[in-house]
Amino acid sequence: MSEVPKPHQPLVTHIYTADPSAHVFEDRIYIYPSHDLDHDGPVNDNGDQYKMEDYHVLSMADLNSPVVDHGEVLHVKDVPWASSQMWAPDAAYKNGKYYLFFPARDHDGIFRIGVATSSSPQGPFHPEEQYIPGSFSIDPAVFIDEDDAAYMLFGGLWGGQLEKWQTGSYVEDAEGPAPDAPALGPRIAKLSEDMLSMSTEALEIVIVDQEGKPLTASNEECRYFEGPWMHKYNGKYYLSYSTGTTHKLVYATGDNPMGPFTFQGTILPPVLGWTTHHSIVQFEDKWYLFYHDCSLSGGVDYKRCVKFAELTYNSDGTIRMIDPYPEK
């Protein structure tokens, strides 16, 4: 158990954590992060430095309570179809069960998305024998709408292999779109009632600018890179994500979870480290952003720490940009 967390400070310091997926289950805040390993291996654009192989679950009674680490809840060795790199997960509750959605490389080195179940939000989680049929790439994020329909968003460029699936099949040497062509968007699919498969084909979400034109691949300040998240506020759907190469968390809004979404602006400017990944959750009457940076390790990109900050809206529904380092 840690001390009481403070905004913009690491939630835990005894392990490296990243990619926080935050939810309110059973009146507690649960955080499902990835678990960075402490190693000194090679660093490259393929993401080999991100060697994560297991998941821990963190929780706290509220934002003024100590963080509890519930320990390892799933390891790659327990997943028959997976070989390595248990990257950013998400969790959901439906049908009286808790579901952990996670990406990993299969035994051919291709990223797929798996699911594991538990009777408790604390885990442990028990994986399905096979990955979700038709799944690919990384960064699953599950959104359950007010009508109880569940959607899974996913996809990440470069190491996340999204470019390799533009034809609908895996093409090892595929490249991204031309600079002036529409950027690749995240994928979204409806989940089956049992949450173990996709009940619809995974479709690409279109993100447009204020004039209704699709964001182009060269628009690295705004276009999608990885880490999708969806939440709903005052009847509007908010799609937020990382821009990757320009290291921002940004968002777009729409009237339908399947899109299209109109780009709105920046939630979080760049933090220390290359990656940025987040979740947004409402707890009681406030909203919070959970994110990560590399401050705990002094700036090592693949040794990250999870943090949080309060998120606020303007009267028109736009999100106020958060300063990740307000003390500077």
Side-chain angles (χ1 to χ4, degrees):
M1 187 176 289
S2 76
E3 296 180 0
V4 174
K6 297 178 181 178
H8 307 292
Q9 298 299 317
L11 282 187
V12 295
T13 58
H14 65 291
I15 57 174
Y16 291 116
T17 55
D19 311 318
S21 166
H23 294 271
V24 177
F25 295 139
E26 299 178 0
D27 298 322
R28 287 180 69 88
I29 300 172
Y30 281 87
I31 302 102
Y32 300 83
S34 52
H35 176 202
D36 285 344
L37 299 185
D38 191 356
H39 72 91
D40 296 306
V43 175
N44 54 48
D45 283 346
N46 202 40
D48 291 342
Q49 62 271 32
Y50 303 105
K51 293 179 178 290
M52 302 92 89
E53 59 186 32
D54 70 340
Y55 297 112
H56 283 231
V57 173
L58 309 177
S59 78
M60 46 190 165
D62 53 48
L63 275 301
N64 297 304
S65 299
V67 179
V68 178
D69 179 357
H70 297 281
E72 181 186 291
V73 300
L74 183 67
H75 193 282
V76 67
K77 69 178 185 295
D78 301 322
V79 184
W81 62 266
S83 65
S84 63
Q85 291 188 303
M86 303 273 272
W87 284 5
D90 191 19
Y93 175 75
K94 193 174 180 179
N95 310 322
K97 288 183 185 178
Y98 295 89
Y99 299 84
L100 185 70
F101 295 84
F102 60 93
R105 290 184 186 268
D106 66 14
H107 295 286
D108 294 320
I110 298 173
F111 269 110
R112 305 289 185 174
I113 296 171
V115 60
T117 58
S118 177
S119 60
S120 168
Q122 303 174 13
F125 287 86
H126 305 285
E128 296 294 303
E129 290 286 320
Q130 298 294 333
Y131 56 77
I132 296 173
S135 69
F136 55 91
S137 197
I138 61 169
D139 292 351
V142 173
F143 170 74
I144 299 180
D145 209 346
E146 291 157 349
D147 61 0
D148 216 32
Y151 300 84
M152 182 173 70
L153 298 88
F154 61 93
L157 303 181
W158 296 10
Q161 303 178 341
L162 187 58
E163 300 100 323
K164 303 179 187 300
W165 289 93
Q166 293 173 85
T167 64
S169 301
Y170 183 82
V171 179
E172 173 61 39
D173 58 354
E175 297 182 355
D180 59 350
L184 292 178
R187 300 299 199 269
I188 186 169
K190 253 188 175 179
L191 290 172
S192 57
E193 187 58 32
D194 66 6
M195 302 286 277
L196 302 180
S197 63
M198 297 186 291
S199 64
T200 65
E201 181 184 358
L203 301 176
E204 185 174 0
I205 294 177
V206 175
I207 306 171
V208 301
D209 62 20
Q210 292 286 326
E211 296 170 353
K213 298 175 182 176
L215 299 180
T216 60
S218 62
N219 186 356
E220 297 183 25
E221 293 289 325
C222 304
R223 65 91 178 89
Y224 178 80
F225 188 90
E226 64 185 357
W229 186 262
M230 189 173 287
H231 75 280
K232 201 171 186 179
Y233 175 76
N234 282 354
K236 278 275 187 184
Y237 296 90
Y238 287 66
L239 171 67
S240 44
Y241 54 90
S242 169
T243 60
T245 51
T246 51
H247 320 296
K248 297 190 299 183
L249 294 177
V250 299
Y251 75 105
T253 57
D255 297 317
N256 188 304
M258 308 294 284
F261 283 83
T262 302
F263 184 85
Q264 298 295 340
T266 299
I267 299 173
L268 192 75
V271 296
L272 181 65
W274 202 94
T275 67
T276 191
H277 192 113
H278 75 300
S279 57
I280 294 170
V281 66
Q282 183 180 18
F283 182 71
E284 296 177 343
D285 60 346
K286 292 186 177 182
W287 288 84
Y288 297 93
L289 174 78
F290 284 79
Y291 66 100
H292 69 232
D293 71 5
C294 300
S295 58
L296 185 61
S297 63
V300 181
D301 279 343
Y302 54 92
K303 298 178 185 179
R304 297 161 291 183
C305 56
V306 167
K307 300 181 173 184
F308 80 93
E310 186 176 346
L311 181 143
T312 56
Y313 302 85
N314 296 307
S315 59
D316 62 357
T318 55
I319 294 173
R320 294 176 187 156
M321 190 169 70
I322 294 170
D323 179 359
Y325 303 109
E327 296 176 0
K328 288 189 176 181

